Each structure stands twice: as C-alpha cells, then as structure tokens.
Amino acid sequence: MLHTLILAAEEGAEHEDSVLVPPLAELIVGLLAFGLLVGFFFWKVYPQVRKTYAERTERIEGGLKRAETAQAEAQVLLEQYRSQLAEARTEAARIREDAQAQGRQIVEELRAQAQQEVAEIRERADATLVAERAQVVASVRREIGEIALELATRIVGRELENDASQRQLVDDFIAGLDEAPRPAAAPAGPGA
C-alpha cells in the first residue's frame, strides 16, 4: 500500500494538477497523523474500552452467578419448605388421630362413670326402699297391734293392763298373720 502511494505521489509530481492524488508531503503527514491517532487509540482509549468491557462482563457474569446462586438457594428453601409442610401435615394427622383417640377414651370414661353413678343411685334407691319398707312394715305392725289389742279388749271384755302381755299378744298375732296363707287378690270392682 505504501508503495502504491509513493507511485501515486511520483505521478502526482508529474501531474501536479491532479486533484485525486494528494501531494507526497501531505500524504506522509496524513499517514503519520493517522499512525499517531491509531497509536494514541491503542495506548489510551483501547485499554479504557477494554477495562470497561471487562468490568461490564464481570458485572454481567457476576449477576448471572448471583442469580444462579439465589436460584439454587431458593430451590433449597423450597425443598425445605415442602419437607416442613409434609412434616406439618404428618404431625397434624397424628394430632388429629390422638385427639380422636382421646375423645373416644373420654367418652368411654364418661360412659363408665355414668354407669357407675347409675349403679350407685340404684343401690341408694334400693337401700332407701328397703329402709322405707322396714319403716312401713314397723308402722303397719304397730297399727295392726293397736287394732288387734282394741279388738281383743272388746272381745274379752276387759282391758289388758300389762304392757309386756300386750306386746306379746300383738307379736303373736302378727306372727300368725305372716304365717297365714294369703288369699288371692280379688279383682277390683267398680265400688273398690
């Protein structure tokens, strides 16, 4: 290329009138200026451009690495969350089963307690009935004794004065009633 320019410059010297071919001095100065400009570019501008490009590449690659790291961490956290959620569901199912078992146990305990209370109430009622029956029997014996004594006094025509003999007479009469066969109950009629 330089050779071509020199030839063109020589021809330009012969043809000073040519506008397309610059004079040799201008050509050399232009080439030197261009060379200096290219040298300055590679000396000052190109390292700065390269540095900026490297920083930008580093930022982009660092951002990508950070994004990949963040994505990996997010994936780990998601797996932990899913694991914890599965554990929580398992725990909730276990708690629910325990609660149901405890509920059944409480119901059984309450049922047993209620049955025990019913049995105790029946025992107390039976004891009360026995006591009331004994009281009624004693009261009826006393009344029957008084009636029998009054009847015996009227039949005999004299009053029995001895309390011991009265008691003995009443007891004998009641013992005779207990041993006597009981007649079958007559059907209750409209006048009864």
Side-chain angles (χ1 to χ4, degrees), residues 118-136:
V118 165
E120 289 174 2
I121 290 171
R122 281 185 183 159
E123 287 176 11
R124 285 191 301 251
D126 289 345
T128 303
L129 284 175
V130 167
E132 286 178 0
R133 183 174 182 257
Q135 199 175 24
V136 167

Side-chain angles (χ1 to χ4, degrees), residues 37-186:
L37 184 63
V38 168
F40 179 76
F41 176 76
F42 279 107
W43 180 51
K44 285 288 187 182
V45 175
Y46 181 70
Q48 190 66 28
V49 168
R50 192 171 185 153
K51 180 182 171 187
T52 304
Y53 177 74
E55 288 174 355
R56 204 157 181 207
T57 303
E58 178 67 28
R59 269 196 317 255
I60 290 171
E61 288 176 357
L64 289 175
K65 286 180 184 177
R66 284 190 303 274
E68 288 173 358
T69 304
Q71 186 176 6
E73 289 175 359
Q75 188 66 29
V76 168
L77 289 175
L78 179 63
E79 291 301 320
Q80 287 177 349
Y81 169 74
R82 286 181 179 164
S83 172
Q84 290 174 349
L85 185 61
E87 289 174 9
R89 285 181 178 156
T90 303
E91 182 69 15
R94 186 189 61 77
I95 289 171
R96 195 171 31 250
E97 289 173 4
D98 288 348
Q100 289 173 349
Q102 288 177 353
R104 285 189 296 270
Q105 182 181 1
I106 289 171
V107 166
E108 289 300 320
E109 288 174 0
L110 290 175
R111 188 172 288 145
Q113 184 180 3
Q115 289 174 351
Q116 182 180 1
E117 288 177 3
V118 165
E120 289 174 2
I121 290 171
R122 281 185 183 159
E123 287 176 11
R124 285 191 301 251
D126 289 345
T128 303
L129 284 175
V130 167
E132 286 178 0
R133 183 174 182 257
Q135 199 175 24
V136 167
V137 166
S139 174
V140 167
R141 283 184 181 211
R142 233 184 355 263
E143 288 179 19
I144 290 175
E146 290 173 4
I147 292 171
L149 186 60
E150 186 179 324
L151 185 60
T153 303
R154 287 186 186 168
I155 291 175
V156 173
R158 65 181 174 95
E159 226 178 281
L160 301 173
E161 297 170 356
N162 188 356
D163 283 337
S165 63
Q166 286 177 4
R167 272 192 234 127
Q168 183 62 38
L169 183 64
V170 169
D171 287 340
D172 290 344
F173 179 74
I174 291 175
L177 287 177
D178 284 341
E179 292 173 6
R182 294 189 177 132

